[in-house]
Amino acid sequence: MSLLGPHGALLHPTHALALLRTAGLLLTGLQLTYRRVLESSGVAAYQLGQDAAGEPVETLGYARWDTPERVAEMARKWDAARAEPNPLGAGVRALPAANALLFLLPNDRGLKLLSKLTEPDRLKRVLAPLPELDPAGWRIKARKSALDIRRYKPEQRMVARAHLTLVHDAEARTRELDVM
């Protein structure tokens, strides 16, 4: 890690995994899905897929680094009252070795729709009014549907692709639908 520096380590999956483990995440692997490096700051996004027990935990995480002053300001903003826990624990946690913060999805109690989008049964209710589900009678089959988070910036926005399996019970038909 020393050759890469603390921020470079966040951009390399093996070293990032070691840093996340020091932050208390018992992960067995991760994928780097996005990176943006500026002069003194940056973002590295990860798809986290398993905990140490081998249980599937699909969530997205972002490590954001900046100057020590800016990281301290972000940490104050994301106190325990705002950061929501998720299956991996605290939704926002410090990465002191990299002067960074790790944000895990969903993590913001202030964005009410965020938790609905990450739970398939709740997502079904959010997407039910889509015009693509007309004519009436089509319903979303949660277990065969998937949500792929394309871009997520904590506390600001998220873009996701939903691959939905629809079933029409009265006609015994199924179909697929992709929506952004």
Side-chain angles (χ1 to χ4, degrees):
M1 266 187 334
S2 61
L3 293 175
L4 296 170
H7 305 136
L10 291 169
L11 300 171
H12 188 278
T14 304
H15 300 299
L17 181 60
L19 278 172
L20 298 186
R21 285 180 178 159
T22 63
L25 291 171
L26 302 174
L27 298 171
T28 58
L30 63 79
Q31 286 183 317
L32 182 66
T33 60
Y34 175 79
R35 72 175 116 204
R36 185 180 77 216
V37 180
L38 303 172
E39 192 172 310
S40 65
S41 63
V43 176
Y46 312 105
Q47 180 68 43
L48 309 171
Q50 262 188 354
D51 64 15
E55 295 296 317
V57 177
E58 291 291 331
T59 194
L60 184 67
Y62 270 79
R64 296 176 70 188
W65 66 89
D66 209 322
T67 63
E69 297 81 21
R70 177 70 179 123
V71 170
E73 181 184 329
M74 284 189 291
R76 279 190 302 277
K77 178 180 177 183
W78 286 91
D79 63 3
R82 179 160 182 191
E84 186 168 333
N86 62 49
L88 293 173
V92 179
R93 61 183 73 211
L95 297 173
N99 193 37
L101 291 176
L102 177 68
F103 296 87
L104 298 173
L105 178 73
N107 63 359
D108 190 350
R109 286 190 174 114
L111 299 175
K112 300 297 181 197
L113 192 57
L114 194 58
S115 62
K116 292 179 184 176
L117 290 175
T118 57
E119 297 176 25
D121 288 332
R122 294 177 82 183
L123 178 64
K124 287 179 3 181
R125 291 190 288 273
V126 171
L127 297 179
L130 282 174
E132 290 85 350
L133 295 179
D134 283 335
W138 289 99
R139 66 178 175 85
I140 299 168
K141 195 150 178 85
R143 290 186 186 190
K144 294 195 176 187
S145 297
L147 183 70
D148 178 24
I149 298 165
R150 296 297 175 96
R151 189 160 185 162
Y152 172 64
K153 187 170 183 182
E155 82 264 7
Q156 292 187 10
R157 67 182 170 270
M158 182 176 80
V159 177
R161 175 183 164 260
H163 178 79
L164 307 172
T165 299
L166 306 174
V167 64
H168 196 288
D169 293 322
E171 298 176 10
R173 293 188 313 157
T174 61
R175 68 180 171 118
E176 307 291 315
L177 176 65
D178 283 312
V179 294
M180 292 295 284

